[in-house]
Amino acid sequence: MSIESMLRSRIQLALAAFGVTVTPETIIIESSKDRSHGDYASTIAMQLAKQLHQAPLAIAEKIVANLNLDGIEKAEVARPGFINFFLKTETISTVVKTIIGLDQKYGTSDFGNGKRVNVEFVSANPTGALHLGHARGAAIGDSICRLYKKAGYFVTREYYVNDAGNQIDNLAKSLYARLLEAYGLTVVFPEDGYH
């Protein structure tokens, strides 16, 4: 179980202790941007304020009062109704053990359920100059494919290579003309050639 899932479950149980039922998916858990605000934070008290007709601070206080603090150093309420979680070191370090245990499978999900996805990227013109955008497109395209695959999609990568037709015929004629020139022969360069 991830830390976020554990916190959602604890909040859900704390809310149930005073008669509020929510699904875990509705409980937002975010990594704190400022370490002085803890490791994680939740806005559930502010989400429920209108529904419960209570101030977010009062709801947050009730949640913290009913919270199972096993593995949590402390949980504190901050205005306007945040719940900040400071985790024990051993709780955070369980993530490292999970990552090592799962190795390459860490982060894998079946969200995509085998749905087919085709990603076309780069498609550089072989008769034109390559530039930094082609390299960036290749890196981004391949990364997108890897993310889709990790999320359970069946991924087809498509790198369109224009290797047929007049453009390539002209490229071949141009290369042949340059080869003959390299051997010292007089050549009439193709009219539509690549100089």
Side-chain angles (χ1 to χ4, degrees), residues 87-161:
L87 303 179
K88 291 183 178 177
T89 304
E90 56 268 19
T91 303
I92 296 171
S93 66
T94 60
V95 174
V96 176
K97 292 176 189 170
T98 302
I99 292 169
I100 292 169
L102 292 173
D103 195 33
Q104 294 294 316
K105 292 180 182 173
Y106 181 75
T108 302
S109 80
D110 59 357
F111 180 82
N113 201 25
K115 184 177 178 182
R116 292 182 173 274
V117 175
N118 181 46
V119 181
E120 179 185 342
F121 54 98
V122 181
S123 299
N125 182 345
T127 60
L130 291 175
H131 52 75
L132 188 59
H134 292 110
R136 182 182 61 230
I140 292 170
D142 187 60
S143 296
I144 289 169
C145 291
R146 289 170 188 255
L147 289 168
Y148 268 125
K149 190 173 180 182
K150 200 78 163 163
Y153 289 87
F154 180 83
V155 180
T156 305
R157 289 168 168 83
E158 188 173 325
Y159 177 101
Y160 179 71
V161 179

XYZ file of all heavy atoms in Angstrom, residues 87-161:
576
model
N 5.537 12.382 8.596
C 5.680 10.934 8.717
C 6.953 10.546 9.456
O 7.951 11.266 9.425
C 5.691 10.297 7.323
C 4.466 10.588 6.462
C 4.611 9.931 5.099
C 3.191 10.108 7.134
N 6.900 9.382 10.089
C 8.091 8.828 10.730
C 9.044 8.354 9.636
O 8.611 7.948 8.549
C 7.708 7.669 11.645
C 6.936 8.112 12.867
C 6.642 6.947 13.778
C 5.900 7.440 15.027
N 5.518 6.324 15.913
N 10.332 8.400 9.920
C 11.356 8.005 8.942
C 11.121 6.585 8.438
O 11.230 6.318 7.240
C 12.764 8.127 9.569
O 12.924 9.454 10.040
C 13.845 7.801 8.557
N 10.775 5.670 9.325
C 10.562 4.272 8.904
C 9.365 4.124 7.966
O 9.337 3.239 7.116
C 10.451 3.321 10.100
C 9.382 3.661 11.112
C 9.872 4.548 12.260
O 10.916 5.208 12.144
O 9.165 4.591 13.282
N 8.387 5.005 8.095
C 7.235 4.970 7.181
C 7.670 5.371 5.776
O 7.311 4.720 4.794
C 6.120 5.919 7.676
O 5.756 5.552 8.999
C 4.904 5.857 6.770
N 8.454 6.431 5.691
C 8.932 6.896 4.387
C 9.879 5.869 3.762
O 9.830 5.608 2.559
C 9.605 8.276 4.513
C 8.567 9.312 4.953
C 10.269 8.698 3.206
C 9.134 10.659 5.310
N 10.717 5.237 4.585
C 11.697 4.287 4.047
C 11.059 3.001 3.519
O 11.693 2.262 2.758
C 12.771 3.970 5.086
O 12.214 3.282 6.185
N 9.804 2.729 3.881
C 9.149 1.532 3.330
C 8.989 1.650 1.820
O 8.962 0.640 1.124
C 7.758 1.300 3.964
O 6.931 2.437 3.713
C 7.853 1.022 5.442
N 8.915 2.867 1.316
C 8.802 3.076 -0.129
C 10.051 2.563 -0.833
O 9.975 1.930 -1.882
C 8.566 4.571 -0.456
C 8.589 4.820 -1.942
C 7.268 5.041 0.145
N 11.216 2.803 -0.238
C 12.479 2.337 -0.829
C 12.490 0.812 -0.909
O 12.859 0.236 -1.931
C 13.695 2.865 -0.025
C 14.995 2.299 -0.567
C 13.719 4.381 -0.031
N 12.040 0.155 0.157
C 11.973 -1.312 0.159
C 11.022 -1.806 -0.926
O 11.294 -2.793 -1.607
C 11.530 -1.819 1.527
C 12.548 -1.598 2.621
C 11.999 -2.047 3.963
C 12.934 -1.628 5.083
N 12.350 -1.824 6.401
N 9.912 -1.126 -1.091
C 8.939 -1.502 -2.126
C 9.552 -1.363 -3.512
O 9.416 -2.247 -4.361
C 7.671 -0.623 -2.021
O 7.120 -0.768 -0.727
C 6.649 -1.006 -3.073
N 10.241 -0.254 -3.761
C 10.873 -0.019 -5.065
C 11.900 -1.106 -5.355
O 11.922 -1.685 -6.449
C 11.528 1.383 -5.114
C 10.458 2.465 -5.085
C 12.397 1.533 -6.362
C 11.005 3.864 -4.866
N 12.738 -1.416 -4.373
C 13.761 -2.450 -4.565
C 13.109 -3.809 -4.793
O 13.511 -4.574 -5.679
C 14.732 -2.484 -3.365
C 15.572 -1.200 -3.351
C 15.625 -3.722 -3.407
C 16.369 -0.991 -2.083
N 12.070 -4.107 -4.041
C 11.386 -5.395 -4.169
C 10.704 -5.586 -5.521
O 10.719 -6.678 -6.085
N 10.126 -4.528 -6.037
C 9.418 -4.618 -7.321
C 10.336 -4.450 -8.522
O 9.958 -4.792 -9.642
C 8.288 -3.586 -7.384
C 7.122 -3.838 -6.437
C 6.152 -2.674 -6.466
C 6.404 -5.134 -6.783
N 11.515 -3.896 -8.311
C 12.518 -3.690 -9.356
C 11.886 -3.019 -10.570
O 11.318 -1.949 -10.453
C 13.181 -5.028 -9.711
C 14.462 -4.855 -10.509
O 15.167 -3.852 -10.286
O 14.760 -5.716 -11.363
N 11.965 -3.613 -11.752
C 11.448 -3.000 -12.986
C 9.922 -2.885 -13.009
O 9.364 -2.145 -13.809
C 11.908 -3.801 -14.207
C 13.407 -3.768 -14.431
C 13.899 -2.379 -14.788
O 13.303 -1.691 -15.588
N 14.991 -1.958 -14.159
N 9.244 -3.626 -12.142
C 7.781 -3.586 -12.123
C 7.239 -2.411 -11.313
O 6.046 -2.146 -11.323
C 7.235 -4.891 -11.557
C 7.489 -6.078 -12.460
C 6.946 -7.343 -11.869
C 7.263 -8.515 -12.776
N 6.901 -9.775 -12.162
N 8.137 -1.688 -10.598
C 7.674 -0.559 -9.785
C 7.044 0.510 -10.684
O 7.609 0.890 -11.700
C 8.819 0.066 -8.974
C 8.344 1.215 -8.128
C 7.627 0.985 -6.969
C 8.566 2.532 -8.515
C 7.155 2.032 -6.200
C 8.107 3.587 -7.749
C 7.396 3.338 -6.594
O 6.922 4.376 -5.853
N 5.883 0.965 -10.314
C 5.184 1.999 -11.073
C 4.294 1.455 -12.174
O 3.586 2.198 -12.835
N 4.312 0.146 -12.378
C 3.494 -0.468 -13.416
C 2.042 -0.553 -12.955
O 1.770 -0.804 -11.798
C 4.013 -1.891 -13.727
O 5.371 -1.785 -14.135
C 3.212 -2.559 -14.823
N 1.130 -0.319 -13.891
C -0.293 -0.476 -13.573
C -1.001 -1.113 -14.769
O -0.433 -1.250 -15.845
C -0.930 0.880 -13.253
O -1.229 1.593 -14.431
N -2.245 -1.490 -14.548
C -3.048 -2.057 -15.633
C -4.131 -1.067 -16.073
O -5.130 -1.448 -16.668
C -3.658 -3.393 -15.216
C -4.551 -3.271 -13.993
O -4.655 -2.169 -13.419
O -5.154 -4.292 -13.607
N -3.913 0.213 -15.809
C -4.880 1.265 -16.122
C -5.334 1.198 -17.584
O -6.502 1.356 -17.887
C -4.281 2.634 -15.802
C -5.200 3.789 -16.096
C -6.176 4.153 -15.195
C -5.089 4.498 -17.282
C -7.030 5.206 -15.463
C -5.941 5.552 -17.564
C -6.913 5.902 -16.651
N -4.391 0.994 -18.506
C -4.714 0.975 -19.926
C -5.452 -0.265 -20.375
O -6.047 -0.304 -21.456
N -5.401 -1.304 -19.547
C -6.138 -2.542 -19.820
C -5.878 -3.104 -21.216
O -6.772 -3.602 -21.875
C -7.632 -2.305 -19.594
C -8.389 -3.594 -19.357
O -7.813 -4.585 -18.911
N -9.671 -3.587 -19.669
N -4.636 -2.988 -21.694
C -4.267 -3.549 -22.988
C -4.796 -2.790 -24.199
O -4.656 -3.240 -25.333
N -5.404 -1.625 -23.970
C -5.934 -0.835 -25.084
C -4.778 -0.430 -25.999
O -3.695 -0.095 -25.561
C -6.616 0.424 -24.533
C -7.278 1.266 -25.596
C -7.991 2.457 -24.967
C -8.610 3.337 -26.026
N -9.255 4.509 -25.448
N -5.022 -0.476 -27.307
C -3.977 -0.172 -28.288
C -3.801 1.335 -28.459
O -4.769 2.075 -28.575
C -4.318 -0.789 -29.639
C -4.260 -2.289 -29.616
C -4.567 -2.858 -31.009
N -4.346 -4.288 -31.015
C -3.172 -4.863 -31.237
N -2.120 -4.139 -31.488
N -3.057 -6.175 -31.215
N -2.525 1.740 -28.487
C -2.168 3.140 -28.691
C -1.060 3.181 -29.732
O -0.101 2.419 -29.651
C -1.661 3.790 -27.378
C -1.180 5.195 -27.626
C -2.727 3.777 -26.322
N -1.213 4.042 -30.720
C -0.180 4.226 -31.736
C 0.409 5.626 -31.564
O -0.315 6.608 -31.580
C -0.764 4.078 -33.145
C 0.299 4.231 -34.214
O 1.375 3.659 -34.106
N -0.002 4.990 -35.245
N 1.731 5.676 -31.359
C 2.400 6.965 -31.175
C 3.384 7.157 -32.320
O 4.302 6.369 -32.497
C 3.142 7.045 -29.819
C 3.805 8.400 -29.656
C 2.187 6.765 -28.666
N 3.147 8.186 -33.120
C 4.075 8.533 -34.204
C 4.912 9.710 -33.739
O 4.393 10.689 -33.228
C 3.318 8.910 -35.472
C 4.254 9.286 -36.601
C 3.551 9.778 -37.856
O 2.345 9.523 -38.007
O 4.225 10.430 -38.673
N 6.213 9.595 -33.909
C 7.070 10.699 -33.497
C 8.283 10.825 -34.398
O 8.663 9.890 -35.074
C 7.481 10.578 -32.024
C 8.126 9.285 -31.639
C 9.505 9.174 -31.562
C 7.363 8.175 -31.325
C 10.112 7.989 -31.189
C 7.959 6.987 -30.954
C 9.338 6.889 -30.885
N 8.867 11.980 -34.416
C 10.030 12.438 -35.155
C 9.749 12.574 -36.644
O 9.582 13.661 -37.139
C 11.293 11.587 -34.901
C 12.453 12.159 -35.684
C 11.631 11.569 -33.433
N 9.703 11.481 -37.394
C 9.478 11.522 -38.833
C 10.371 12.550 -39.535
O 9.907 13.438 -40.237
C 8.002 11.811 -39.143
O 7.196 10.797 -38.608
N 11.664 12.424 -39.311
C 12.622 13.335 -39.939
C 12.710 13.077 -41.434
O 12.652 11.944 -41.892
C 13.993 13.159 -39.299
N 12.859 14.132 -42.199
C 12.979 14.038 -43.651
C 14.429 13.648 -43.980
O 15.358 14.390 -43.676
C 12.631 15.400 -44.256
C 12.675 15.392 -45.761
O 13.218 14.485 -46.388
N 12.108 16.439 -46.345
N 14.644 12.488 -44.618
C 16.014 12.046 -44.873
C 16.758 12.914 -45.893
O 17.973 12.829 -45.992
C 15.841 10.621 -45.389
C 14.453 10.543 -45.887
C 13.653 11.517 -45.089
N 16.045 13.748 -46.635
C 16.719 14.611 -47.609
C 16.961 16.007 -47.064
O 17.530 16.845 -47.730
C 15.877 14.715 -48.905
O 14.608 15.275 -48.570
C 15.701 13.359 -49.550
N 16.506 16.251 -45.845
C 16.691 17.565 -45.240
C 17.647 17.488 -44.069
O 18.058 16.411 -43.638
N 17.986 18.622 -43.556
C 18.907 18.681 -42.418
C 18.191 18.278 -41.131
O 17.041 18.648 -40.917
C 19.470 20.089 -42.290
N 18.886 17.520 -40.302
C 18.361 17.209 -38.976
C 18.666 18.386 -38.060
O 19.647 19.099 -38.247
C 19.018 15.942 -38.431
C 18.650 14.641 -39.147
C 19.463 13.487 -38.583
C 17.169 14.347 -39.026
N 17.817 18.598 -37.062
C 18.038 19.682 -36.119
C 17.683 19.212 -34.711
O 17.242 18.071 -34.519
C 17.246 20.933 -36.518
C 15.782 20.673 -36.750
N 14.890 20.468 -35.718
C 15.078 20.575 -37.901
C 13.682 20.257 -36.224
N 13.769 20.312 -37.532
N 17.883 20.074 -33.753
C 17.670 19.732 -32.360
C 16.239 19.276 -32.085
O 15.999 18.405 -31.247
C 18.031 20.922 -31.467
C 18.036 20.679 -29.969
C 19.025 19.570 -29.603
C 18.409 21.955 -29.233
N 15.283 19.831 -32.793
C 13.881 19.447 -32.625
C 13.641 17.972 -32.919
O 12.816 17.334 -32.270
N 14.369 17.413 -33.897
C 14.240 15.986 -34.184
C 14.704 15.147 -32.999
O 14.064 14.164 -32.630
C 15.051 15.606 -35.434
C 14.496 16.188 -36.696
N 15.154 17.192 -37.379
C 13.368 15.929 -37.391
C 14.441 17.514 -38.453
N 13.346 16.767 -38.477
N 15.825 15.520 -32.392
C 16.345 14.796 -31.231
C 15.376 14.911 -30.056
O 15.087 13.923 -29.372
C 17.719 15.323 -30.841
N 14.867 16.107 -29.827
C 13.910 16.322 -28.735
C 12.644 15.507 -28.984
O 12.124 14.849 -28.088
C 13.577 17.815 -28.615
C 12.628 18.123 -27.473
C 12.273 19.596 -27.390
N 11.614 20.027 -28.609
C 11.963 21.103 -29.322
N 12.953 21.859 -28.933
N 11.323 21.416 -30.418
N 12.156 15.521 -30.223
C 10.957 14.754 -30.568
C 11.146 13.264 -30.355
O 10.233 12.568 -29.901
N 12.337 12.753 -30.676
C 12.620 11.330 -30.481
C 12.608 10.979 -28.994
O 12.017 9.975 -28.582
C 13.962 10.970 -31.105
N 13.244 11.801 -28.173
C 13.302 11.539 -26.730
C 11.913 11.629 -26.098
O 11.520 10.765 -25.308
C 14.258 12.515 -26.058
N 11.155 12.651 -26.465
C 9.815 12.823 -25.907
C 8.888 11.710 -26.390
O 8.147 11.117 -25.606
C 9.243 14.214 -26.240
C 10.033 15.288 -25.495
C 7.764 14.306 -25.891
C 9.710 16.705 -25.921
N 8.938 11.407 -27.677
C 8.088 10.350 -28.234
C 8.348 9.003 -27.585
O 7.418 8.288 -27.203
N 9.627 8.655 -27.440
C 9.957 7.375 -26.813
C 9.537 7.367 -25.342
O 9.039 6.350 -24.848
C 11.457 7.091 -26.940
C 11.800 5.698 -26.458
O 11.262 4.725 -27.039
O 12.574 5.569 -25.502
N 9.691 8.485 -24.645
C 9.277 8.563 -23.234
C 7.763 8.376 -23.102
O 7.298 7.671 -22.202
C 9.687 9.906 -22.629
O 11.088 10.015 -22.603
N 6.998 8.994 -23.986
C 5.538 8.842 -23.968
C 5.170 7.380 -24.165
O 4.306 6.842 -23.458
C 4.883 9.744 -25.035
C 4.986 11.211 -24.607
C 3.425 9.355 -25.274
C 4.610 12.202 -25.693
N 5.839 6.724 -25.100
C 5.568 5.300 -25.349
C 5.867 4.455 -24.117
O 5.100 3.550 -23.768
C 6.393 4.800 -26.534
S 5.873 5.492 -28.109
N 6.979 4.731 -23.464
C 7.349 3.971 -22.257
C 6.330 4.176 -21.138
O 5.994 3.243 -20.412
C 8.742 4.369 -21.783
C 9.839 3.875 -22.699
C 11.180 4.508 -22.310
N 12.196 4.196 -23.271
C 13.164 3.295 -23.062
N 13.226 2.630 -21.941
N 14.057 3.079 -23.999
N 5.842 5.411 -20.991
C 4.839 5.689 -19.965
C 3.526 4.957 -20.259
O 2.916 4.380 -19.357
C 4.593 7.200 -19.854
C 5.736 8.002 -19.237
C 5.505 9.494 -19.442
C 5.895 7.675 -17.766
N 3.092 5.005 -21.512
C 1.884 4.272 -21.898
C 2.030 2.786 -21.598
O 1.137 2.149 -21.042
C 1.585 4.445 -23.392
C 0.669 5.584 -23.732
C 1.056 6.569 -24.640
C -0.610 5.687 -23.187
C 0.213 7.618 -24.981
C -1.462 6.723 -23.517
C -1.054 7.680 -24.413
O -1.890 8.704 -24.746
N 3.164 2.221 -21.976
C 3.408 0.782 -21.760
C 3.393 0.454 -20.266
O 2.805 -0.533 -19.848
C 4.738 0.381 -22.390
C 4.964 -1.093 -22.419
C 6.212 -1.437 -23.207
C 6.404 -2.944 -23.211
N 7.612 -3.342 -23.923
N 4.033 1.289 -19.453
C 4.080 1.086 -18.003
C 2.675 1.166 -17.401
O 2.398 0.539 -16.385
C 4.981 2.159 -17.388
C 5.510 1.833 -16.040
C 6.652 0.865 -16.129
C 7.441 0.861 -14.843
N 8.284 -0.296 -14.715
N 1.792 1.945 -18.042
C 0.419 2.110 -17.553
C -0.528 1.053 -18.109
O -1.736 1.151 -17.932
C -0.100 3.505 -17.903
N 0.010 0.037 -18.801
C -0.811 -1.091 -19.216
C -1.393 -1.014 -20.611
O -2.270 -1.797 -20.966
N -0.909 -0.101 -21.436
C -1.381 -0.008 -22.818
C -0.523 -0.881 -23.723
O 0.640 -1.145 -23.430
C -1.307 1.439 -23.329
C -2.323 2.360 -22.702
C -2.052 3.010 -21.502
C -3.560 2.584 -23.309
C -2.979 3.859 -20.921
C -4.484 3.441 -22.726
C -4.183 4.063 -21.543
O -5.112 4.909 -20.979
N -1.098 -1.330 -24.842
C -0.327 -2.006 -25.886
C 0.106 -0.912 -26.856
O -0.724 -0.278 -27.497
C -1.179 -3.061 -26.601
C -0.437 -3.779 -27.679
C 0.387 -4.852 -27.377
C -0.530 -3.357 -28.994
C 1.095 -5.507 -28.374
C 0.166 -4.000 -29.998
C 0.983 -5.076 -29.684
N 1.411 -0.670 -26.938
C 1.932 0.496 -27.655
C 2.612 0.098 -28.959
O 3.422 -0.814 -28.995
C 2.951 1.267 -26.781
C 3.484 2.477 -27.514
C 2.312 1.686 -25.468
N 2.254 0.804 -30.020
C 2.954 0.694 -31.291
C 3.667 2.017 -31.522
O 3.052 3.078 -31.457
C 1.955 0.450 -32.457
O 1.169 -0.695 -32.148
C 2.685 0.234 -33.757
N 4.971 1.919 -31.760
C 5.757 3.118 -32.055
C 5.836 3.256 -33.561
O 6.154 2.296 -34.254
C 7.168 2.981 -31.488
C 7.254 3.048 -29.995
C 8.650 2.594 -29.553
N 8.923 2.875 -28.173
C 8.540 2.104 -27.164
N 7.858 1.004 -27.407
N 8.840 2.434 -25.931
N 5.577 4.441 -34.056
C 5.650 4.657 -35.494
C 6.590 5.811 -35.783
O 6.345 6.944 -35.404
C 4.253 4.949 -36.057
C 4.237 4.983 -37.564
C 2.826 5.093 -38.106
O 1.896 4.517 -37.517
O 2.659 5.771 -39.140
N 7.675 5.455 -36.410
C 8.647 6.456 -36.851
C 8.569 6.417 -38.372
O 9.047 5.487 -39.004
C 10.055 6.077 -36.355
C 11.145 7.012 -36.827
C 11.650 7.978 -35.977
C 11.682 6.913 -38.100
C 12.656 8.837 -36.386
C 12.677 7.761 -38.528
C 13.167 8.719 -37.672
O 14.154 9.557 -38.083
N 7.912 7.388 -38.929
C 7.710 7.407 -40.367
C 9.006 7.770 -41.071
O 9.585 8.811 -40.821
C 6.605 8.400 -40.734
C 6.348 8.491 -42.215
C 5.738 7.446 -42.899
C 6.725 9.625 -42.917
C 5.517 7.534 -44.254
C 6.495 9.718 -44.279
C 5.895 8.669 -44.945
O 5.674 8.749 -46.282
N 9.486 6.874 -41.922
C 10.699 7.128 -42.692
C 10.294 7.256 -44.150
O 9.758 6.326 -44.741
C 11.732 5.985 -42.534
C 12.969 6.270 -43.359
C 12.094 5.810 -41.078
